[in-house]
Amino acid sequence: MASVSLLAGWHLDNKPKAPALHGASVFYRNLEQVLDQRRADGTIYKIPRGVVSEDVVDLVTMDFLSLTRTGKMRSLFLEEEAKHPDFKLHMGASRLMADSPYFSETEDEVAALHGAEAALLFRSGWDANNAILTAVPRPGDVILYDELVHASLHDGMQLSLASTKQSFKHNDVDAFREALMGIKENEPLIRDGSRCVLIIVESEYSMEGDITPLAELVGISKEIFPDGNAQFIIDEAHSTGVLGKQGKGLVSELGLEKEIAIRMHSFTKALACAGGAVVLCNETVRAMLTNFARILIYSHPPQFGVVASIRVACSFMKSGQIDPLRLQLQHVVRKFYDTITSHDVFDEASEAGLLSIPAAADYESRDYLSHISYIKTRQRYNQYLYYHLQLRGFKVLAVDYPVVPKGTNRIRLVFKAHHTDAQIEAFVEAVCEWAREMLEIEANPKGKDKIPSAARQVFAFRDTLATNGDLA
């Protein structure tokens, strides 16, 4: 579990550094001034060193189906690698100059599995989203996107040729309809059918843990643009492997393969691959990516090891072996909601505004529960809860602005298929233990303890380090 000293070192070293660089180059001073703003806001990032202890319950990493933990995909990958003893570590050039039948065969397998006409592999989901948005939108097109889509899509949109980029309120069907109607009214080239609206959504949102109402959005788009100049681009990174039969994702589960122009699936999360992502589309879109996606044209393709791991993941999905893991993951999430909502302190803490789990709303009536959830408390208490859970042996992520909008700080939870009932019960008890302590503190404003015990330990250690000059 995390130690008090580790938390103090990771999260409380916010002393500005730029003022001390009097004799340094202006280049480094300017960079440190930018970093100092992050330090002042308490949003500075650091890469932790070392390996997480096996005693810690991991609620952070993306190993949704626990395939990394069990080594299942590694074993399958090594078997596949043994079939190709003369494989090349890399192609030595862009795919436009040197290709491999193995790559093309893998793309064909992935396309067939997902009911797509064509597929094109990329090194990562970030690269794939960049390729889509730099190659596909044309001048005069309009991009309409859910306000909470991934950062990779925002970066891609900045580089796109689309004339207008407009967001709509997250998962709000009425706001989506209103935005589409506004585009039709205000954009002559869209209205006359000579340019397109490209609609960008995610199947499963990585910070909210909710699902896009895709069928409704598609229906609205076809109603407003019956001639087909409204098309969808969907990022299925967080649904790949976990949502729908064989883990094929939301589009396949809804039977909308023919309605969605472009799908992006990544393989590094639930499927535990060595990297890689795929764009599913038709041959026209694939040709656009091949000719206009600079990240594909001017850089190396995925290495053999990445493509081989994707191939075995595809076989694993087709075999049906993935389905029991998906069902187990659903059990874990439902166990969490059952346990925490029935805890004797939950209602009181919720009514006091100390504890909220938005993704638990109406969970009993939903067939599918996202493996991503989060806990909200008062914004100034978010770090307190984070310290408490870390010191109790639960690795969680405190998410702050700019990753999420201001005022929506949270503790994000990512559940795994290997989590046991006992671990979930212990986690809930740790959360509610903290909530009970905060209720007592707020009920006694004149008491000596103004902050909870875990935060007091971390702050005390920080002060000791500062006094001894160990906190740089």
Side-chain angles (χ1 to χ4, degrees):
M1 67 181 65
S3 66
V4 173
S5 60
L6 192 61
L7 291 174
W10 281 357
H11 300 283
L12 299 176
D13 181 10
N14 293 327
K15 184 179 178 181
K17 294 187 177 181
L21 298 180
H22 299 299
S25 163
V26 66
F27 172 74
Y28 295 108
R29 289 205 309 273
N30 288 345
L31 296 182
E32 286 294 355
Q33 285 173 358
V34 175
L35 291 169
D36 280 349
Q37 185 57 57
R38 282 281 179 96
R39 293 180 181 108
D41 294 340
T43 57
I44 190 77
Y45 297 147
K46 296 180 182 180
I47 298 176
R49 293 177 178 270
V51 178
V52 177
S53 168
E54 287 294 318
D55 296 332
V56 172
V57 178
D58 171 21
L59 290 158
V60 171
T61 65
M62 302 293 178
D63 186 24
F64 308 145
L65 297 178
S66 305
L67 290 171
T68 296
R69 181 183 177 90
T70 62
K72 177 65 176 178
M73 294 308 294
R74 181 177 64 245
S75 298
L76 294 173
F77 166 75
L78 291 174
E79 291 175 11
E80 178 70 12
E81 186 183 55
K83 298 174 186 176
H84 305 272
D86 298 324
F87 72 86
K88 296 179 181 179
L89 281 176
H90 73 107
M91 298 303 298
S94 161
R95 282 188 75 185
L96 300 188
M97 291 179 277
D99 196 17
S100 160
Y102 189 83
F103 280 41
S104 299
E105 291 165 5
T106 302
E107 288 171 336
D108 290 344
E109 282 192 31
V110 177
L113 175 64
H114 290 89
E117 181 179 319
L120 189 59
L121 290 173
F122 289 87
R123 292 174 302 185
S124 69
W126 192 287
D127 282 4
N129 281 338
N130 176 284
I132 293 165
L133 290 168
T134 54
V136 173
R138 299 292 89 200
D141 287 347
V142 173
I143 293 176
L144 178 63
Y145 62 96
D146 186 294
E147 64 182 347
L148 296 186
V149 294
H150 192 263
S152 60
L153 293 163
H154 283 278
D155 274 18
M157 282 188 277
Q158 289 181 3
L159 298 171
S160 82
L161 296 178
S163 302
T164 303
K165 296 99 173 177
Q166 177 182 335
S167 67
F168 65 94
K169 187 177 179 182
H170 175 59
N171 273 0
D172 189 315
V173 173
D174 293 333
F176 175 75
R177 176 187 290 276
E178 183 179 347
L180 269 189
M181 291 295 290
I183 290 169
K184 186 173 185 179
E185 179 180 346
N186 297 320
E187 300 284 345
L189 295 177
I190 303 294
R191 188 168 59 250
D192 69 18
S194 60
R195 291 293 183 268
C196 296
V197 183
L198 302 176
I199 301 159
I200 303 178
V201 295
E202 294 184 40
S203 54
E204 194 161 349
Y205 286 86
S206 61
M207 288 294 158
E208 304 301 310
D210 53 8
I211 311 299
T212 189
L214 186 61
E216 294 174 81
L217 300 184
V218 169
I220 292 168
S221 70
K222 293 176 73 173
E223 172 193 331
I224 297 173
F225 294 102
D227 294 332
N229 62 319
Q231 295 290 335
F232 281 80
I233 299 169
I234 185 165
D235 182 330
E236 293 239 39
H238 290 88
S239 59
T240 302
V242 293
L243 200 162
K245 187 178 180 181
Q246 298 180 321
K248 291 189 290 186
L250 181 64
V251 173
S252 292
E253 179 68 5
L254 296 176
L256 294 174
E257 294 94 338
K258 303 299 183 184
E259 305 291 343
I260 306 301
I262 301 173
R263 292 175 268 168
M264 193 286 289
H265 289 261
S266 65
F267 299 99
T268 55
K269 297 178 174 64
L271 297 175
C273 291
V278 69
V279 175
L280 302 172
C281 52
N282 68 9
E283 292 291 353
T284 299
V285 173
R286 191 178 192 275
M288 286 295 292
L289 294 170
T290 303
N291 283 274
F292 293 97
R294 294 165 68 87
I295 202 162
L296 180 145
I297 297 168
Y298 298 110
S299 63
H300 291 268
Q303 295 174 319
F304 172 84
V306 171
V307 180
S309 65
I310 291 171
R311 195 161 190 166
V312 299
C314 185
S315 297
F316 187 72
M317 294 167 73
K318 287 190 292 185
S319 73
Q321 295 179 71
I322 200 168
D323 290 324
L325 298 175
R326 294 191 307 101
L327 294 175
Q328 174 59 23
L329 181 57
Q330 286 295 296
H331 166 78
V332 170
V333 180
R334 202 167 292 277
K335 173 68 176 179
F336 169 65
Y337 291 142
D338 284 343
T339 306
I340 197 161
T341 56
S342 63
H343 196 282
D344 58 10
V345 81
F346 181 76
D347 287 341
E348 182 182 0
S350 297
E351 290 171 7
L354 285 171
L355 209 56
S356 170
I357 304 177
D362 302 320
Y363 78 93
E364 300 98 333
S365 62
R366 284 183 271 146
D367 293 331
Y368 175 82
L369 299 175
S370 175
H371 45 284
I372 299 168
S373 189
Y374 64 99
I375 301 172
K376 288 188 72 176
T377 182
R378 301 194 206 288
Q379 292 297 289
R380 66 183 187 276
Y381 291 171
N382 201 53
Q383 205 70 283
Y384 294 169
L385 177 55
Y386 171 78
Y387 294 144
H388 182 90
L389 293 173
Q390 291 280 1
L391 293 179
R392 290 296 184 274
F394 299 97
K395 186 173 177 58
V396 296
L397 183 66
V399 184
D400 305 307
Y401 175 81
V403 177
V404 293
K406 287 183 178 179
T408 64
N409 295 0
R410 66 199 59 188
I411 302 295
R412 187 176 72 161
L413 311 174
V414 181
F415 294 102
K416 318 289 190 301
H418 74 267
H419 286 153
T420 66
D421 286 1
Q423 287 175 328
I424 296 300
E425 290 167 1
F427 175 69
V428 167
E429 188 56 43
V431 172
C432 291
E433 175 188 46
W434 175 85
R436 186 179 291 111
E437 184 181 10
M438 293 309 304
L439 285 168
E440 292 172 357
I441 288 173
E442 291 198 344
N444 186 20
K446 296 183 179 179
K448 65 176 183 176
D449 294 330
K450 305 297 184 184
I451 59 175
S453 58
R456 288 201 307 272
Q457 294 177 58
V458 174
F459 293 162
F461 198 87
R462 172 204 61 186
D463 293 344
T464 299
L465 290 176
T467 300
N468 295 336
D470 295 325
L471 196 59

